[in-house]
Amino acid sequence: MDKNERLFKISTLLIILGFLLIIGKGWIGNLLANIWLNMVGGTADTNVYEFQKYSYSSSFLSLGNILFGVGLLAMLFSWYKKQED
């Protein structure tokens, strides 16, 4: 397996992982906010809880966008190198 094939497989994995993080950001944010709520004793102000939930969701959305973008660029580079050969 040459470098171009490995790059293509890695980029495909990054695209899939990024897409899953983008789609599942709400579920992951809700899960982590509930874990945070349990860690602080089970009660918190609603605004603070919503802020935590939004922060977690935004973080995973950003991570998913970065992984998706890097994977897409790597795939395009891999495709370009394959066309060049």
Side-chain angles (χ1 to χ4, degrees):
M1 179 166 53
D2 65 345
K3 289 182 181 180
N4 196 28
E5 289 179 26
R6 268 189 278 158
L7 179 62
F8 186 78
K9 288 182 180 181
I10 290 171
S11 64
T12 303
L13 182 66
L14 286 175
I15 288 172
I16 292 170
L17 185 60
F19 184 74
L20 290 175
L21 284 175
I22 291 169
I23 297 299
K25 70 176 175 62
W27 181 79
I28 295 170
N30 194 24
L31 177 70
L32 291 176
N34 286 334
I35 291 171
W36 171 81
L37 187 62
N38 287 332
M39 286 176 47
V40 296
T43 58
D45 186 39
T46 304
N47 291 332
V48 175
Y49 173 77
E50 288 294 324
F51 178 75
Q52 288 292 335
K53 186 176 166 182
Y54 177 76
S55 297
Y56 286 130
S57 296
S58 296
S59 297
F60 279 95
L61 177 62
S62 298
L63 180 62
N65 283 331
I66 290 169
L67 290 176
F68 188 81
V70 168
L72 192 61
L73 286 175
M75 183 176 278
L76 288 173
F77 179 75
S78 174
W79 176 79
Y80 175 75
K81 283 297 203 182
K82 185 177 180 182
Q83 297 298 322
E84 194 176 82
D85 291 339

